[in-house]
Structures are given as structure tokens and as C-alpha cells.
Amino acid sequence: MNAALAAAGRRPIETTIFAVLALITLLALIGPLITPADPILRVDPPFCAPSLAHLFGTDDVGRDLLSRVIAGVQITWLLSLLIIALSAIVGGLIAALGALAGGWVDAGLDRLTDLFMVIPSTLIAMAAVAAVGPGLSHTVGVITVFWWPWYARIVRAELRSVAARPHVEAARVAGVGGLRLMARYMFPAALPTLLVTATLDVANVILVLSLFSFLGLGAPPPTPELGAMTARTLVDLTTHPWIPLIPALAIFVMVLAANLAGDALRERMEGL
Amino acid sequence: MSAMAKTIGLILLMVMALATPAAPAPPQRVLKVAYADDVVSFDPDNAFLLYGLEALRVMYQGLVQYEPGTTRVTGWLAQSWSVSPDARTYTFRLHDGARFHDGSPVTAAAVMAYFQRRATPTLALSYFLDNVASMSAPDRLTFVIRLRSPQSTFLDRLASPWGPKVIGPGALVGHAGGDLGGSWLNEHEDGCGPYRLTEFSRGYRYVLTRDPDYWGPRPYFDRIEIDIVPSISQQMLMVRRGDLDVMMNGYPFDQLAHLPPDLRATGFDDLGEEMALVNPWHSLKDRKLRWAVLTALNPAGWLADDFDGYATQARSLYPKAMIDAPRPVVFPGDLAAARRIVAAHGPVHLQIGYGAEEGATQQRTAELLVSALARIGISATVMSMPTDQEPGLRDFPQRAPDLWLARNYPDAAHPGTQADVFFETGAPLNLFNYSNPSVDRLIGAAGQITDRAARDRAYLAISDALFADIAFIPLADIKDVIVYRADLTDLGTRPALPWGVDYATIRRR
């Protein structure tokens, strides 16, 4: 415990960043338990300025803005993590399958990855969501479809470099092969890179999710999505600026924290 | 004087001439407005316009119109008219001296030729004349219409902003093509109003220019410039900056109290009442559940602080400008009972839909309703769809939203036009195929009544019956709000002219 505190004292900025990240995650996990009001219910007249009664004020419908922002953080943060997890799993499995099979299977999967990487994924994803209809599950599914290739490419490169390392060669000479070689010796070596990439990617996914909801391609109203909350109340920017700005600020804090945490993690990994 | 001195003198004169400021050009009388959406067609017989309606009525004129600020019918091209004792023959006496923009005179024969075009069934608005049996032009300025049966809405249909507007022979003969001049009339006009359409750049701008040969009073503005500006936020910036003179709809209600001193806002009651259509074909099949929903949606619970005083609770299923009901509909008030019904029913999720044309206001109202429903334990989400796809809901009521928020505009100020379009069995905007034979009978009987007070009582009885069935829920009379530069006056708004000022009367002080 003391050692951990001492380490934290040595790296105060990193510690703060990870603390913010932990706070966001905690907020996302227990948000519904601590929101002061139901984010869907009207609690007071619309456009109440921030006060002790409503720390972030009320929105244009009279809902508690703090409660809606907490619910919005929950949706955005957890969905971002879900998309990254799904993308990493799909991408990692495709890369592992290619590395295991080799030959034309590897080449074919690599071309498939190339194909997904060269198309303008965000635009296509928007078109796809617009076609199938807005909704959280549609958004998550479509973004994941276009997000995994980056992970496949990174894991594949990492597995190729790991394959030439002495301990993998030794394992192979000792008769370890196939799935066991991948699971025991190769994939764990690629995991740190995958983790850093995923951490750095959280910010990108948050921005894409916010963009989708800003454009009305997220969950249907009145789901408290941060991008949609900002987009819908932009006309109030001059008269009741807190209503569009606070959700935008929440996006900014999440993106900044995720980016800085990714950087810090990468530096740590490179230092190892 | 030497040649050198002459040259220097000439140069000096030229320099002085160039340096002297030119006399200021007389200020051009230009009115700048904007539409958030494009105009599909300026053909008065073939397009249900909302944007462009006020432009159409200064390019074209009909026989009668509504007086500004009222729903009283007054003459327009017709200086007088009479109705036969059997209420089937309408005789119009036209103004002498009116001319079409093609230069030809407005005569009874020309008006009849136009009315024959209007009655062509292939045109979208031909139904306005579907009860016309015959027409005649006994002399140069007398036009007679004979109806198949008495129709109390007929004069209102003629005064409607979508009603017949006379097109000149220059278009009907000169540009007839194979489609009654329809293609040409999409982007041109041949009316007899005070303005001509002098520029039509689809998706970008329309310009109306004052007709120097107009037969009536000369309007103040020489030009009306109409830009297409889809973003309401941009329109707000433009009107605040002085780049627009009038913003005809969409200014957020909550910001009307914060207008800069050089802008004014005026609200007027139009014919578009905010109501909810209840879809009884899936989640709300159960009448008890519909009753619970009705209890939650009571506008008294959510309307007070919204719309900044520009809305009042609806008193019936007719807009206030059409019938100002002496006693309002009474919503059930037992929220606890509503909660019990929902709890006994099990989880209920509803979808609230609205047409995208009035997106900001409708979405806010829809979210207020979601919040109201949450109070009795019903969850709901909101969706919008293009307004022109609304009629398609009738074909798939099982997949349509459970509640449809509508601020639809009836054809005219006569309550019969509201009942015919929304409430009657098979009516075009009866989106969830509501059908009640006894209501149909009431509508049929009310249509025969000519005494206004008795007629209104009959239509209010229909409203009560529909409300009792929980088929249509009257929510609010929301005013049409126009934001305009403070030096403008005589806006000439009319309840039957949504989102519009009268370019023939508006002027600077």
C-alpha cells in the first residue's frame, strides 16, 4: 500500500489521469444509483440555471441535466469499451487464425483486412446505420464491423514478430504447436501492444459514438446520449449555454482522460 | 489658354468628377426572407405547399380570400358574390381591369378555363372542386358555379390558401404541353397578383418582383428575395445580423424573450392545432391503457412553462381560430389509477412519432410527453419521419408509432375541412384508420348546417365523441410566431396562412 502511494507520489500527473479514468468508469458502472433524478422525468421548469437544487441546471424539457449527463457518460463509456472489446476479440481472432493457418488463409484474411481498411469506414458506417435505422445495438454492431481491422493488423504484425523470437522457436522445437503455441507463447506476447492500442482507441470510439449521436444516428430520443444532447440544444447556445456545453464538456473530459491514459500506458510499456 | 492648361484643366475636372461621391441610389425596397425547405412546385393546383404559400398568394389570386387576422371570407378577384336559395349556385362578379402577367385581361371566360383545369382529377388539389356540377360565364365579368349538392365548406375552400388561384391563358394555352402546363408552372407563373416570379433557382433562391401593371393597390416592396436556408440556427443568426427581414417560423420559443431591440416577435393563432393521434392497433389496443395514457398526457401537467406563453391548452379538436369552444375537454386526473392500470398491464413501451417538418418544436413536445408518460410507468421513445410519408402510416398501422404528434393544417377555416381530412372514416390524414359510423353520421349532418353557431355546436359534439373514444387527443394551440425587423409593419398575418406574412401589405414604417 505504502509502495503504491509512493509510486503515485512519484508520478502525480499519471496518477491523476488514472484516477479520473477510474472515476469515469465508476460513474458509468454505478451511475443509475447516484443520479439525483430520473434522467427521463421532468423535475422542474425548463432552462433553470445551475444551482444547488440542480448542479448542472435543467434542460429544455425541464429534466435534471446532471442526471442526464451521468446517464450519457454511462452509455458512451460502456459502449466505447464494448466496441473496443468486440473489435479486439474479432481482430485478434482473425489475426491468430491467419498466423496459425498461414499460407493462402493468412493472405486471404490479410486482403480482407486491407479491404475494410481502405473503405471510408465512418461514412459507410453512418450510411449503414441510417439504412438499418438508428439504435444503440445497430450503432455498436456497425461500428464494430468497421473497427476490427485495425486490431487484426496490429495483432498480426505483433504475432509475426513474436513468431521469430527464441522462446517461440524453442517451444516449437520442443514440439509445442497449433493452438497451444498460440495461446501459451505467442498471443500473451502480443497482449501488451493490444492493450495500449485499445486504451488509446477509447478516445476515438467515444468521438465516433458522439458523432453518430450528434447526427441523430444513435439511440432514439429521449435516451441521454451526450452527442445528441449537444446537437439538439445548440440553438440555446447563446441564451442558455450550459445546456449544450455541459454534455460537450463531458465528451471532452472522457476523450482527454482516455488519450492521456493511453499515452501514459504506452510510455510505461515502452519503459519495461 | 494653352493646350497644356486645357489638358491640365480637363484632367482636374475628371479627377474631381471621380472624387465626387455619386448621388446615393434610392434605397431599393427589398424584403429578405428565408425558407428552411425547398419549394417543390409553384403550381397552385398541384402542390401542398407550406413554404411558399405566402409567395403563391401574391403571384396568383383566387375569387375570395380570408381577411387579415380573421377567418371571414372577403372578395379578391370577385368584388361580390351571391348564393342561390338552394345553396347550390354561386355567382361571382369579377373586378374589372384585372390583368394576368401575360398581359391578357382577367375575364369570366379565363376564370372558367382555369377552373376547368383545376377540376382535372389528375391534379393533387382537384378535390377542392369535386362537388362542382357545372360552370358558366354568362358575361365578361360574371362567373357561375353550380354544385351537385349544397356544401357549407365551399366558400371556405375557395378562400383556402390551397384553394383555386387563377392561372392565365399564357400558361394554360401557351405552355400547356402535355400536362396542362404543369411542367412549366413548377418554376414559372402566370397569375394576376401584385408580384411576378422573376427568379427560380431551385434549392437556392426565389425572387418576386413587383408587377408595375398590377390592377390593385401598389405594394410597398419592389422585390421579395427568398433564400433557402435549411438551418434554423443560421436563420436566427441572419435575422439577428440584419441579413433577413422576417423569420417566418422556427425561432425557438424560449429565446423570444431575448430578442435584440431591433427585432420584434408576433404570435397569432393559426389553424394548426397540436394533437395526438392514438394508434389502437397494437400496444394501445386496450382501452383502459389508452385511458391511462390520456390521463398522463393532460397538457395541464406539462404545457404551463413551455412555449414561453405562446401556447394554451387546446379546448377541443378544432384550433381556437376555427372554433373557440366555450367549455374545454376534461382530461381524467387520477394519476394513481393510471399507474395501477399500467402496473397491472405489465411493461408498456410506446413510440411517439412526428413529422420532421416542424422538428424542433415537435421533438420537444414529444419529449415532454415521454416525461409525462414516465410518471405512470410507461417508457417511450421518439422518432420522426418525413412529413410527406405520413399518409403511408395508414397502410401499416401495426408497425406505426403508438402516438402520432401532429400539427396538421386543415384546408380552410371551416370545421368541416378539419373533420373531412382527419376524423371521417377513410379521411386522407386519418392516419390510424379510425372509424366510427356514428361519428361519420354526425360529420355528415354537421356539414349541412349553415347557421354558424349551430354548426360549431355540431362539430364540437363530434370532438367530444372522438375524445371519448380516445382516438384523437387535443393538446395545445401553439401560436405561429414571426420574428421581424422592428421597422416593419402591416404584416397581414392570417390564421389560415401558416408561416406567412402578406407581401402585399407589409411595409417599413
Side-chain angles (χ1 to χ4, degrees), chain A residues 42 60 63 221 232 235-236, chain B residues 255 363-364 367 371 382:
Chain A
R42 177 190 173 114
D60 59 331
R63 297 168 296 210
R232 206 173 65 76
V235 288
D236 298 313
Chain B
Q255 298 196 28
Q363 180 170 348
R364 188 164 169 224
E367 293 198 25
S371 184
V382 175

Side-chain angles (χ1 to χ4, degrees), chain A residues 40-42 45-47 60-61 63 68 220-222 232 235-240, chain B residues 233 236 252 254-255 258 302 305-306 363-364 367-368 370-371 374-375 380-382:
Chain A
I40 303 296
L41 272 182
R42 177 190 173 114
F47 305 113
D60 59 331
V61 175
R63 297 168 296 210
R68 287 184 66 76
R232 206 173 65 76
V235 288
D236 298 313
L237 189 64
T238 53
T239 49
H240 311 97
Chain B
S233 302
M236 288 167 63
D254 56 281
Q255 298 196 28
H258 306 277
W302 52 267
D305 301 315
D306 293 290
Q363 180 170 348
R364 188 164 169 224
E367 293 198 25
L368 284 163
V370 171
S371 184
R375 289 186 307 166
T381 49
V382 175

Side-chain angles (χ1 to χ4, degrees), chain B residues 241-258:
Chain B
R241 229 174 25 216
D243 294 342
L244 282 184
D245 291 303
V246 183
M247 190 169 157
M248 290 193 280
N249 78 313
Y251 207 98
F253 289 97
D254 56 281
Q255 298 196 28
L256 293 170
H258 306 277

